[in-house]
Amino acid sequence: MQREMIEARKPPVLSVGFIGWCREKLFATPTNSLVTVAILYGLFSLIPSFIQWAFVDATWAGASSSECSSEGACWAFISSRLDQFIYGFYPQELSWRVDLFFIQLAAVLAWLMIPVLPGKKYSLAYGLIVMPVTSWIILAGGLLGLEPVDTHDWGGLMVTLVLAMYGMLASLPIGVLLALGRRSEMPVVKTFCTVYIELWRGVPLITVLFMASVMLPLFVPEEIVFDKLVRAMIGIVMFQSAYMAEVVRGGLQAIPKGQQEASDSLGMGYWQSMCLVVLPQAIRLVIPGIVNTFIALFKDTSLVLVIGLFDLLSIVQAGLNDPAWLGTSTEGYLFVGFVFWIFCFGMSRYSQSLENNRQEH
Amino acid sequence: MLLRLWRDPAWRAVFFQVLLIALVFLGGAWIVNNTLTNLESRGISTGFDFLSQTAGFGINQTLIEYDESFSFMHTFVVGLLNTLLVSSLGVLFATVLGFLMGVARLSSNWLLAKIAAVYIEIFRNIPLLLQIFFWYFAVLGVLPSPRQSISLFDSVFLNVRGVFFPAPVLDSGGMVAFWAFLAAVVIVGVIVLLNRRQRKNTGRPLPWIKTISLAVLLGLPTLSFWLTNGSLHWDFPALKGFNFRGGVGLLPELVALWFALTIYTAAFIAEVVRSGIESVSKGQKEAAAALGLRPGRVMNLVVIPQAMRVIIPPLTNQYLNLIKNSSLATAIGYPDLVNVFAGTTLNQTGQAIEVIAMTMAVYLTISLTVSLLMNMYNRWVALVER
């Protein structure tokens, strides 16, 4: 009689491990195999030549495109103008102030985004209220003995980040107010907010920027002169706050009515129940949507090029017109694309990780 | 007394709304007043009279007859048509590419799924304007001059001035065949409808349905072409002087904008399609497989029809985004509405308010119309609970 358990037989060597994985994931059917082979062929013919062009044959430093090798990428265009791409025309001896702005922004973001750090409430308050003020003082100067720097001299990555930061900080609260207004029981408030939201969501940002740049000066008395950068900011905020409002409204709709009724029965007023009960839940629910709107806003800052501001894209574009750097457009666009991609991809990964965290709980 | 009214929520609501109306009106009046003063001091007249003035500038791509002597109203229409042209090209190709990529993203082939994922993550995280510039300046801008054109079978030419295709030229007989083809399409449509009704009533399709449809679709145009003794020849593009003449030429601006819009929007559509397909429960796929359907048919007959309900609303948003994004044309000089109207016309007439209001109204109308149509479609495909 057999008393011992018969040892389980090993699966056939062709169905486990790397070979099994390949058979299942790459060569499951004839069509699948064909697709795999075609893609592999494509990758092997493209990637080595790209690496050859971008790294092996590339020229990393130089003063004009004539110093670059004709086979490889001309990264000298980026390296020789990196300062301009980051600081624009900001006076060189004052560029530490821009660095300070970058550091403050990075510090506040890290404080907000890294879950283990304490005091989220303070970081939020600092980011929403204090940071806009200190950033403007640091960059524009004119106060605390800082030498004033005109916004005409701002440019490059710094303008992109300034526009994105103020755009995000202003569009979030305005969007929340609009979302509350659209769900309000007062017909006038509701109509006003609905019309505002649908109007801005129905037109392209470029026309809003044109409007902000051409029509805004007509709307105010001639004595008031708006800075070009501020006009662009107003346009971006008007536009993105409408999108933000729709995202927040989605969150508000997902909160059961019982929450509002419970806080009413506790004797809370409208603003108390909204700020203490409904909004914290609603906003936590739509953080991914808010981050997506932030990503769209970040990418949209590049549109200020059409009204003549020098953000990262337009300063590189202007650099490409320099006769000394003819034929380096691919390198320039790859650089700008990479910088934008890092920021946007980082944001989208962060929102995905938040979403995954929430699903685990 | 006043305090008691203040404590009554109904009265407080009335108070706030009256206050809001007053503020909006005062603000509006302030803006209108400022604007009128500013316009007067700058010597700009108001009103839409400028629309009948002569434009005095040419446009390098016009879908209708147009030259410098036409009015600003015509430039408006020309720009609008150019916007619609690039938008419809973009919508068409972005849908195809987006669906392909969305399905590829979920492919059982690991390599294909990863390639699609990399495509999506790269192109949706880079500003559209940058992508337009890339295609226009870095790809199309470095193509050879017309004399050194890259040619395909000596009929399609690619150079720095654009892409040139041969164009079919139809004589009267050819036109008859063209109309016969349209008639055939209508007839086949009727046959399909009849067939559907028959199948609904009896559970069986009409006999020979595919053969008859094909015969009508091919036979009718051929027959009329042969009967009228028609002829069809192709108008080939040819180098004349410094540029190509004849055939159909696409401006490099159009090609760049079209590519960029297609590739950028397709990345978003792919994500929409992916989430739509993932929303169909696994049981549906397993049930279809248990019935013996092959993977391709499971996708086409079971998964996609159900996924469409989830896909349509966000897909509409992507279409609207594409139409609005086509306004970036102005950055590379493609003569769309924003470029020729909110750009050149505004600069020539100085009538900023009227011009920008008209431009915005166009986009607003398109947006509202498309969302209306899509809502109707949405109601049509929505689940009908018995």
Side-chain angles (χ1 to χ4, degrees):
Chain A
M1 203 164 87
Q2 175 82 34
R3 291 189 181 265
E4 312 281 303
M5 288 277 275
I6 297 174
E7 208 176 310
R9 269 192 286 171
K10 276 189 183 149
V13 80
L14 287 180
S15 64
V16 289
F18 178 68
I19 298 176
W21 181 88
C22 282
R23 276 180 57 167
E24 191 193 335
K25 299 283 185 186
L26 298 179
F27 301 102
T29 61
T31 338
N32 241 328
S33 313
L34 213 64
V35 170
T36 305
V37 171
I39 293 178
L40 282 179
Y41 175 76
L43 289 181
F44 278 118
S45 56
L46 282 179
I47 291 182
S49 56
F50 178 77
I51 291 177
Q52 185 82 17
W53 175 82
F55 301 105
V56 180
D57 290 341
T59 313
W60 298 91
S64 82
S65 58
S66 55
E67 289 175 30
C68 290
S69 79
S70 54
E71 273 90 52
C74 188
W75 299 119
F77 170 60
I78 311 294
S79 58
S80 69
R81 286 174 170 246
L82 196 60
D83 274 359
Q84 202 188 51
F85 293 163
I86 294 175
Y87 304 110
F89 310 105
Y90 211 84
Q92 211 150 32
E93 66 280 6
L94 299 176
S95 67
W96 62 269
R97 278 160 53 179
V98 181
D99 292 334
L100 194 63
F101 161 71
F102 288 152
I103 290 167
Q104 177 184 236
L105 191 62
V108 170
L109 282 182
W111 191 7
L112 264 175
M113 286 167 64
I114 299 174
V116 291
L117 293 179
K120 288 279 178 278
K121 219 180 268 178
Y122 301 107
S123 69
L124 201 64
Y126 185 85
L128 277 174
I129 300 159
V130 184
M131 188 167 66
V133 181
T134 50
S135 299
W136 196 263
I137 294 173
I138 293 172
L139 290 176
L143 276 175
L144 308 173
L146 291 170
E147 203 179 313
V149 179
D150 198 74
T151 54
H152 285 292
D153 297 334
W154 301 14
L157 181 63
M158 157 203 169
V159 159
T160 299
L161 289 180
V162 164
L163 284 170
M165 185 189 98
Y166 284 99
M168 290 174 190
L169 290 180
S171 65
L172 185 59
I174 297 177
V176 169
L177 284 180
L178 285 169
L180 289 177
R182 196 171 176 174
R183 283 171 56 84
S184 160
E185 281 160 10
M186 303 184 225
V188 175
V189 177
K190 189 176 173 171
T191 320
F192 179 77
C193 292
T194 311
V195 168
Y196 180 95
I197 291 170
E198 292 304 327
L199 179 70
W200 294 130
R201 274 163 43 94
V203 298
L205 177 57
I206 216 164
T207 56
V208 181
L209 286 175
F210 268 133
M211 197 192 103
S213 108
V214 186
M215 281 160 73
L216 213 54
L218 291 176
F219 285 165
V220 294
E222 272 183 274
E223 303 85 68
I224 306 178
V225 180
F226 272 121
D227 190 90
K228 210 182 203 173
L229 192 74
V230 177
R231 276 185 275 168
M233 265 179 213
I234 292 176
I236 289 177
V237 169
M238 282 199 297
F239 183 77
Q240 295 291 352
S241 57
Y243 283 84
M244 195 61 83
E246 285 300 271
V247 172
V248 175
R249 190 168 71 105
L252 288 174
Q253 271 169 351
I255 304 298
K257 218 172 166 223
Q259 297 285 331
Q260 163 95 58
E261 289 168 354
S263 47
D264 283 349
S265 66
L266 286 175
M268 292 182 171
Y270 177 79
W271 290 108
Q272 273 180 320
S273 71
M274 278 302 147
C275 295
L276 298 175
V277 179
V278 178
L279 275 176
Q281 301 183 62
I283 288 187
R284 199 160 300 153
L285 216 54
V286 291
I287 285 181
I290 293 176
V291 176
N292 278 343
T293 314
F294 282 168
I295 295 176
L297 189 150
F298 192 82
K299 285 185 290 178
D300 281 347
T301 55
S302 59
L303 264 62
V304 297
L305 175 142
V306 296
I307 58 168
L309 279 174
F310 284 101
D311 77 316
L312 179 62
L313 176 58
S314 54
I315 211 158
V316 171
Q317 180 73 11
L320 291 172
N321 291 333
D322 184 344
W325 292 107
L326 283 182
T328 53
S329 55
T330 309
E331 290 85 342
Y333 295 136
L334 279 181
F335 167 72
V336 181
F338 184 68
V339 173
F340 270 101
W341 186 82
I342 290 283
F343 279 98
C344 296
F345 186 69
M347 280 193 267
S348 83
R349 275 292 124 130
Y350 176 69
S351 99
Q352 272 169 24
S353 73
L354 281 181
E355 221 167 335
N356 292 342
N357 273 340
R358 206 172 54 214
Q359 273 163 8
E360 277 165 24
H361 287 307
Chain B
M1 175 63 201
L2 272 176
L3 206 63
R4 210 167 61 218
L5 279 184
W6 176 249
R7 283 193 183 135
D8 181 352
W11 278 104
R12 208 162 51 198
V14 170
F15 169 75
F16 277 129
Q17 296 185 63
V18 170
L19 189 72
L20 182 67
I21 293 177
L23 278 178
V24 169
F25 264 92
L26 280 179
W30 185 68
I31 286 175
V32 168
N33 184 29
N34 285 333
T35 312
L36 288 179
T37 341
N38 284 332
L39 287 178
E40 203 172 341
S41 68
R42 293 180 199 189
I44 304 171
S45 61
T46 51
F48 289 92
D49 297 339
F50 72 98
L51 284 175
S52 53
Q53 287 168 18
T54 308
F57 62 92
I59 297 175
N60 56 359
Q61 178 191 296
T62 56
L63 296 179
I64 54 169
E65 199 191 345
Y66 175 86
D67 63 45
E68 291 84 357
S69 64
F70 281 61
S71 70
F72 284 120
M73 192 64 215
H74 283 92
T75 64
F76 174 76
V77 177
V78 166
L80 178 57
L81 287 176
N82 284 340
T83 291
L84 293 179
L85 173 73
V86 74
S87 306
S88 35
L89 278 176
V91 162
L92 198 66
F93 284 81
T95 310
V96 174
L97 186 61
F99 268 79
L100 285 179
M101 283 297 168
V103 174
R105 176 87 174 74
L106 294 170
S107 163
S108 61
N109 188 322
W110 182 83
L111 207 52
L112 188 60
K114 284 291 164 229
I115 294 269
V118 168
Y119 162 82
I120 293 169
E121 291 301 345
I122 288 182
F123 285 101
R124 69 173 186 166
N125 283 320
I126 293 179
L128 176 61
L129 187 60
L130 175 60
Q131 298 190 31
I132 294 175
F133 279 169
F134 176 78
W135 290 108
Y136 186 60
F137 291 110
V139 177
L140 298 174
V142 297
L143 286 173
S145 67
R147 276 174 198 287
Q148 277 91 40
S149 293
I150 305 166
S151 77
L152 203 67
F153 308 120
D154 265 334
S155 48
V156 178
F157 296 93
L158 189 64
N159 59 50
V160 75
R161 298 277 178 86
V163 190
F164 298 86
F165 295 99
V169 180
L170 294 167
D171 61 359
S172 58
M175 280 316 285
V176 171
F178 177 71
W179 288 113
F181 175 71
L182 285 188
V185 169
V186 173
I187 293 172
V188 169
V190 172
I191 293 178
V192 167
L193 281 181
L194 283 178
N195 181 45
R196 189 176 288 169
R197 181 188 286 175
Q198 171 85 2
R199 207 157 63 173
K200 213 171 173 182
N201 291 339
T202 66
R204 287 177 186 285
L206 291 167
W208 299 97
I209 183 83
K210 277 185 186 158
T211 324
I212 294 174
S213 305
L214 205 65
V216 171
L217 214 53
L218 292 178
L220 213 54
T222 325
L223 200 66
S224 60
F225 197 65
W226 181 66
L227 281 180
T228 53
N229 215 356
S231 67
L232 165 79
H233 66 269
W234 292 85
D235 179 18
F236 283 93
L239 191 60
K240 295 240 171 66
F242 293 108
N243 205 353
F244 278 85
R245 291 283 148 77
V248 179
L250 299 184
L251 290 177
E253 290 85 11
L254 173 64
V255 177
L257 191 64
W258 171 30
F259 274 27
L261 282 173
T262 302
I263 290 173
Y264 180 76
T265 316
F268 287 90
I269 292 181
E271 281 296 272
V272 168
V273 170
R274 180 181 67 90
S275 63
I277 291 177
E278 280 179 340
S279 76
V280 178
S281 68
K282 211 176 157 195
Q284 296 284 333
K285 274 176 241 174
E286 288 169 352
L291 286 174
L293 294 180
R294 276 181 279 113
R297 309 204 85 191
V298 173
M299 204 58 168
N300 288 334
L301 298 175
V302 178
V303 178
I304 296 224
Q306 298 188 66
M308 277 325 260
R309 288 195 198 101
V310 183
I311 291 176
I312 292 295
L315 189 64
T316 318
N317 274 339
Q318 292 308 326
Y319 288 164
L320 288 177
N321 280 347
L322 190 147
I323 296 171
K324 283 182 273 172
N325 281 336
S326 72
S327 60
L328 291 180
T330 184
I332 53 168
Y334 173 75
D336 83 321
L337 182 66
V338 172
N339 189 21
V340 298
F341 200 65
T344 319
T345 302
L346 192 150
N347 285 339
Q348 294 213 348
T349 61
Q351 305 214 291
I353 295 173
E354 294 86 347
V355 166
I356 291 194
M358 277 175 78
T359 314
M360 283 185 159
V362 166
Y363 284 102
L364 208 56
T365 316
I366 295 177
S367 289
L368 295 179
T369 318
V370 172
S371 19
L372 204 70
L373 288 177
M374 280 294 178
N375 281 343
M376 275 160 64
Y377 175 79
N378 213 8
R379 218 169 300 143
W380 186 50
V381 298
L383 266 184
V384 183
E385 306 258 334
R386 280 176 219 260

